Amino acid sequence: MALWREAESSSPGLIARLEALAQAEQVPATVSEALSDDPAYGTTAKLLLRLRDGREVEAVGIPMTGDAHRTCCVSSQVGCKQGCAFCRTARMGLVRDLAAHEIVGQVLAVNRADGREVRNVVFMGMGEPLDNAEAVAQAARVLNDVHGLSLAWDHITVSTVGRLASLARWEDLGLAKANLAVSLHSADPGVRAALVPAARIEDLGELRAALGRIRLPRDRRIMLAVVVIPGVTDHPGQIDALVHWIGDLPALVNLIPFNPFPGVDWRAPTDAEMRAMCDAVYARGIAVRTRTTKGRDALAACGQLATARGKPLPPAKPPDNIPPP
């Protein structure tokens, strides 16, 4: 108590401010919960969460290890300005950044929803995490802290389309021990620029150089996400470009099946198409894995999150400027 009295005397009102920050209202209110049951993996829960200003975001509790615990996929922004062609969030545009407590609050809300422990947190929900780097880094530190959720750093993953300015500050942000995932999707400049508009400003060569400068913890790899869109990102020329671009980068390619959403014409790849691409990448000496889709029927899978209660999202239109195979 003496320590608190000393802190209050040196900063009048400190205790009141801390009490305000600790109010239950700091945890977003759960508006609705959509469940997707899979007998093989368990139940995926997508939460629609309302923030104190009335804005809404989505967070997803993903079953792991026979449904014994959860990976929580959190949003870092309301909406997103990146405009990725395969992502439903992009149709919202950017509304605002989230504060660190609003990000941490999503994990608490998922924990509260069904009582299963969250053991992993991935910043792969709505928004571009490194467009909101300071709040994301602060949230990650809280999640890791022994007085927070006490998650090990290798259980925290921050994803980005490749924001070069923030990648240059990766260590300064306090994220050096976290997992880094890069939404690459294609190493072909024309295809990537069509799928990920940010690539028109920050080119692939600069991104590869930036990743090569990041010092990784021992035995850790940079995860490179590639969305598998049949006829777009899975043909041999795309694989050749990917292997060449990776070079000697310590990387793990994470193949993600495209998850359709209303208004988009692309289809999801078949299991056979996923296996074929995985085998082709592996045969070239690149570490690779495929992500199991969970929650697709509840629009809870990768690329399907968005909030637009009361108004329809604008129509989706795949870009027509994707170079042919």
Side-chain angles (χ1 to χ4, degrees), residues 32-62:
S32 64
E33 181 177 12
L35 302 179
S36 174
D37 293 315
D38 186 320
Y41 299 105
T43 301
T44 298
K46 181 177 74 169
L47 304 184
L48 177 64
L49 302 171
R50 180 169 296 137
L51 308 171
R52 294 190 75 182
D53 66 353
R55 302 292 188 184
E56 294 173 341
V57 294
E58 291 184 326
V60 182
I62 304 166

Side-chain angles (χ1 to χ4, degrees), residues 193-205:
L195 296 176
V196 184
R200 302 168 192 167
I201 301 171
E202 299 175 321
D203 73 25
L204 279 165

Side-chain angles (χ1 to χ4, degrees), residues 52-240:
R52 294 190 75 182
D53 66 353
R55 302 292 188 184
E56 294 173 341
V57 294
E58 291 184 326
V60 182
I62 304 166
M64 309 295 291
T65 315
D67 214 11
H69 64 270
R70 290 279 184 265
T71 288
C72 182
C73 178
V74 297
S75 296
S76 56
Q77 297 176 306
V78 181
C80 184
K81 70 178 182 181
Q82 294 304 319
C84 296
F86 48 82
C87 182
R88 188 167 174 246
T89 307
R91 297 161 66 195
M92 294 176 60
L94 177 63
V95 179
R96 71 167 175 86
D97 290 339
L98 296 183
H101 74 270
E102 293 174 320
I103 298 171
V104 174
Q106 296 171 57
V107 183
L108 299 179
V110 168
N111 258 338
R112 183 175 60 187
D114 67 3
R116 290 177 176 84
E117 180 185 8
V118 170
R119 293 188 186 175
N120 308 288
V121 173
V122 294
F123 289 79
M124 298 181 180
M126 295 165 55
E128 160 55 43
L130 291 192
D131 278 344
N132 188 20
E134 295 290 347
V136 164
Q138 183 181 354
R141 293 192 297 270
V142 170
L143 294 170
N144 167 255
D145 194 275
V146 67
H147 299 297
L149 272 70
S150 199
L151 296 179
W153 276 114
D154 60 355
H155 289 244
I156 299 171
T157 300
V158 178
S159 178
T160 177
V161 296
R163 306 303 281 158
L164 297 180
S166 293
L167 284 172
R169 301 171 53 223
W170 185 254
E171 292 186 29
D172 293 339
L173 288 165
L175 295 172
K177 295 181 181 180
N179 296 315
L180 171 60
V182 177
S183 296
L184 183 65
H185 303 305
S186 175
D188 177 302
V191 173
R192 187 167 196 261
L195 296 176
V196 184
R200 302 168 192 167
I201 301 171
E202 299 175 321
D203 73 25
L204 279 165
E206 293 175 344
L207 176 58
R208 174 61 179 79
L211 296 180
R213 290 189 290 269
I214 291 178
R215 293 182 294 182
L216 299 171
R218 177 178 290 186
D219 300 326
R220 203 83 64 84
R221 297 172 184 265
I222 294 172
M223 287 180 279
L224 301 176
V226 175
V227 62
V228 179
I229 305 172
V232 178
T233 61
D234 63 345
H235 58 78
Q238 289 293 300
I239 296 170
D240 289 342

